[in-house]
Amino acid sequence: MGNVMRGAVAFVPSERCQRFLVGDLKEMPLDRTLDLSSRQLRRLPVRASAFDELVKLYLSDNHLSNLPPELRNLRKLQLLALDFNCFEELPLVICSLVQLNILYLGNNRLFRLPKELGQLTELKTLWLETNCFIKFPRVICELPNIKTLHLGYNQLRSLPAELERLEELRSIWLAGNLLNDFPPVLLKMHYLEVIDVDRNHIRQFPSLACLRGLKLVIYDHNPCVNAPAVAEGVRRVGRWADSSDDEEDEGEGKVAKASVTVQGSLEENE
């Protein structure tokens, strides 16, 4: 009954109804973190933009498709979570939050990114999985400090040569796309530590032994005829990887475990 009530109230723009959804936003949270996830929100209460000392703002799992211009007041914001919403276009006000380190945009309806995103030069982690990208958003190549890039479960068929500019990039997650070949540009990115191309259409893998920084490559669920050759100490997850038959039967579990382990390590380093 609570969710039904919230869903109905979300359509009513009055202040009283907004308070029912988010409570009284009167004081700045002591930990400078505001979590308004799963509140059935269709618009962000302007009051939330008044907390100019806010560092983290969670708006996941709502019905948002736009954001108010007042959001630019959050000049110290470092983390913004907008995953599981209804965005088809990235609100330009986000591009004014130049202190952002982490931006979650997964599970929306995005199919392009504005050139203004290149203003987020402090961005280190960008999540864009499960959207509607057919082409790789080239503006990402203008983000010099990006370390972790999630673009899984889109409709990408290739990666641009400009991706090589991202010398800080350490992990790239591309599972569930439409790659027919292993992206050649990745062979030039010797600083990469994690490459995930699980669930694509790659039939043959080149040697990855040249990637000196590589720690993990996930290539399971591809119609490949070979496993990628890797340097000593690099973990492979996929068919013909260096594992026992029993472990190969647990392929999906290994992918998840390896991904979580390495992702956690990378986030600790950040």
Side-chain angles (χ1 to χ4, degrees):
M1 184 65 180
N3 287 337
V4 173
M5 179 66 74
R6 285 180 181 273
V9 171
F11 283 97
V12 183
S14 73
E15 279 301 316
R16 184 176 180 182
C17 291
Q18 290 298 302
R19 284 198 299 272
F20 175 81
L21 293 174
V22 302
D24 286 324
L25 299 176
K26 292 182 178 180
E27 297 182 2
M28 173 75 187
L30 293 178
D31 60 358
R32 297 196 293 173
T33 298
L34 181 59
D35 189 351
L36 297 177
S37 300
S38 305
R39 303 293 183 95
Q40 303 279 348
L41 294 176
R42 296 181 180 274
R43 66 184 182 94
L44 178 65
V46 175
R47 178 61 184 162
S49 301
F51 301 139
D52 55 7
E53 295 292 319
L54 207 62
V55 173
K56 298 179 182 180
L57 177 57
Y58 295 90
L59 298 169
S60 308
D61 190 26
N62 282 294
H63 301 289
L64 300 172
S65 59
N66 211 332
L67 294 172
E70 291 83 0
L71 193 72
R72 65 170 57 94
N73 297 332
L74 305 183
R75 300 183 183 278
K76 296 185 179 181
L77 199 66
Q78 296 180 18
L79 183 152
L80 178 59
L82 295 168
D83 45 322
F84 293 94
N85 274 285
C86 304
F87 292 99
E88 296 183 5
E89 298 273 357
L90 186 71
L92 289 180
V93 66
I94 292 175
C95 303
S96 67
L97 302 173
V98 295
Q99 295 302 316
L100 275 183
N101 289 165
I102 303 174
L103 179 56
Y104 295 97
L105 293 168
N107 290 272
N108 277 283
R109 304 168 187 170
L110 299 169
F111 62 94
R112 63 184 178 187
L113 296 175
K115 64 181 186 301
E116 289 83 358
L117 187 72
Q119 299 172 18
L120 301 184
T121 55
E122 298 300 315
L123 201 62
K124 294 181 180 179
T125 300
L126 179 59
W127 292 68
L128 291 165
E129 79 284 358
T130 317
N131 273 285
C132 303
F133 294 104
I134 296 175
K135 294 183 178 180
F136 185 93
R138 289 179 182 267
V139 68
I140 292 175
C141 301
E142 305 297 326
L143 302 174
N145 289 306
I146 201 78
K147 289 187 175 182
T148 302
L149 178 59
H150 288 261
L151 264 166
Y153 299 96
N154 281 282
Q155 301 174 53
L156 303 179
R157 296 181 181 273
S158 62
L159 302 183
E162 295 91 332
L163 192 67
E164 187 182 359
R165 298 176 189 167
L166 301 182
E167 297 184 356
E168 294 298 318
L169 190 64
R170 295 296 178 266
S171 65
I172 185 165
W173 307 81
L174 299 164
N177 277 285
L178 302 175
L179 301 172
N180 289 318
D181 301 297
F182 186 84
V185 66
L186 298 184
L187 296 175
K188 301 179 181 180
M189 301 174 73
H190 300 287
Y191 30 80
L192 279 174
E193 297 179 2
V194 180
I195 299 175
D196 177 12
V197 289
D198 183 36
R199 298 184 186 279
N200 276 275
H201 301 159
I202 301 172
R203 293 188 175 277
Q204 189 162 7
F205 282 93
S207 172
L208 305 183
C210 61
L211 300 181
R212 298 183 295 272
L214 194 62
K215 297 179 180 179
L216 170 68
V217 56
I218 303 171
Y219 64 94
D220 211 8
H221 305 98
N222 279 279
C224 53
V225 297
N226 70 313
V230 294
E232 184 177 356
V234 178
R235 184 175 182 185
R236 299 185 299 181
V237 177
R239 193 177 183 189
W240 301 302
D242 300 330
S243 57
S244 68
D245 291 340
D246 290 340
E247 287 176 330
E248 287 183 2
D249 290 339
E250 300 172 359
E252 292 191 19
K254 290 194 300 175
V255 170
K257 183 176 180 180
S259 300
V260 170
T261 300
V262 175
Q263 182 64 33
S265 175
L266 290 170
E267 290 178 352
E268 286 178 6
N269 292 335
E270 291 178 10

